[in-house]
Amino acid sequence: MTTQHAPAIQVRGLEKSYGDLSVLRGVDFDVARGSIFALLGSNGAGKTTVVRILSTLLKADAGTAAVDGFDVAAQPAKVREVISLTGQFAAVDEVLSGRENLVLVARLRHQKNPGAIADELLARFSLTEAGGRRVATYSGGMRRRLDIAMSLIGNPSVIFLDEPTTGLDPEARVEVWDTVRDLAGRGTTVLLTTQYLEEAEQLADRIAILHKGRIIVNDTLAELKRLLPPAEVEYVEKQPSLEDVFFAIVGSDA
């Protein structure tokens, strides 16, 4: 494991093709420890491919990537010990209760006192009252919070959230956003992929825009907004939104 000053994630020259389709064309970025890093892009931009490579589910054609100091190609088992991955749809068992889902995962990960772990996570994610209910009765936001809670069993230092609010209503999306902020506040490094501009704007310490297989910008929201001049509306200065920046950078073919 690397020192606390080294990036939690380091990616250099990542390339991936599927037949004649080049999905990643030399992707480079770092993610600071304890930060929320948003990988922003349209459908098909390559966001999920990056996550699958970083989580050892897919091999890159070229380039290198390290998570918590471990090379994803040379040390995949070590990488899997320090990460967790939450996909686009909640991977929970609807027949079981929320607490039973958590206990099951804790046992599968050979954790001591799985019941205590489940109870602590239910409390942390405001699910204690619903813990005894079947997950089939949960709202979309509750299922997603449970899914993220399950992914934290074993205390991973890095968590990948691949479009975590896909299909959620606005209220549930805000619930998930609060959960993600809490993760980073507790020191977990979060790499978030999203196509929702507002999500990146609300959550990320740093935003990288992935377009046609390449990172075309990578900066803080404040710095990205400086790429466009403020608009004046009746002599009142209007700051550009992330949406303005995104479409100015990628053009109308996003």
Side-chain angles (χ1 to χ4, degrees):
M1 190 176 295
T2 55
T3 67
Q4 292 300 308
H5 299 292
I9 301 171
Q10 293 179 295
V11 176
R12 296 290 182 274
L14 218 55
E15 297 180 14
K16 183 65 181 178
S17 296
Y18 298 100
D20 294 332
L21 178 62
S22 183
V23 179
L24 302 180
R25 307 180 183 191
V27 171
D28 303 272
F29 63 86
D30 290 344
V31 179
R33 292 180 182 277
S35 69
I36 301 174
F37 183 92
L39 196 56
L40 179 64
S42 308
N43 278 333
K47 305 185 301 297
T48 296
T49 298
V50 171
V51 169
R52 286 176 60 81
I53 290 171
L54 291 176
S55 56
T56 76
L57 297 175
L58 188 66
K59 290 187 180 296
D61 296 334
T64 61
V67 178
D68 208 13
F70 300 115
D71 186 283
V72 298
Q75 301 168 288
K78 289 290 188 182
V79 171
R80 289 193 287 269
E81 288 177 3
V82 299
I83 68 167
S84 191
L85 169 63
T86 298
Q88 296 181 20
F89 303 99
V92 295
D93 190 318
E94 295 190 354
V95 175
L96 300 178
S97 70
R99 188 176 190 277
E100 287 169 339
N101 269 278
L102 291 164
V103 168
L104 175 62
V105 173
R107 286 177 175 163
L108 289 172
R109 295 187 179 175
H110 307 292
Q111 298 293 302
K112 295 179 180 178
N113 303 316
I117 291 171
D119 291 337
E120 188 277 330
L121 286 168
L122 288 171
R124 176 175 166 185
F125 287 86
S126 303
L127 291 169
T128 299
E129 290 185 7
R133 284 170 31 205
R134 290 175 59 201
V135 172
T137 68
Y138 284 18
S139 68
M142 292 169 68
R143 291 185 194 203
R144 178 54 82 185
R145 295 208 312 274
L146 177 63
D147 190 33
I148 294 174
M150 289 164 60
S151 74
L152 292 180
I153 292 173
N155 296 313
S157 58
V158 178
I159 183 168
F160 299 107
L161 301 178
D162 190 14
E163 304 204 20
T165 61
T166 294
L168 296 185
D169 60 39
E171 184 178 358
R173 187 169 294 157
V174 171
E175 288 179 22
V176 174
W177 290 354
D178 289 341
T179 300
V180 173
R181 291 189 189 99
D182 179 68
L183 289 179
R186 292 169 181 256
T188 305
T189 303
V190 178
L191 189 152
L192 168 82
T193 74
T194 184
Q195 57 180 315
Y196 298 125
L197 300 169
E198 184 187 8
E199 188 157 273
E201 195 162 10
Q202 287 285 333
L203 292 177
D205 299 302
R206 197 169 186 91
I207 299 167
I209 296 178
L210 183 63
H211 184 58
K212 294 183 177 179
R214 291 189 175 92
I215 300 286
I216 52 177
V217 292
N218 177 356
D219 220 322
T220 63
L221 177 62
E223 289 301 317
L224 290 178
K225 286 186 174 184
R226 290 180 185 175
L227 296 174
L228 295 183
E232 288 189 8
V233 181
E234 295 182 354
Y235 307 103
V236 177
E237 186 178 89
K238 176 181 179 292
Q239 291 293 326
S241 68
L242 180 58
E243 184 174 6
D244 296 330
V245 174
F246 180 83
F247 286 111
I249 291 169
V250 306
S252 60
D253 60 344

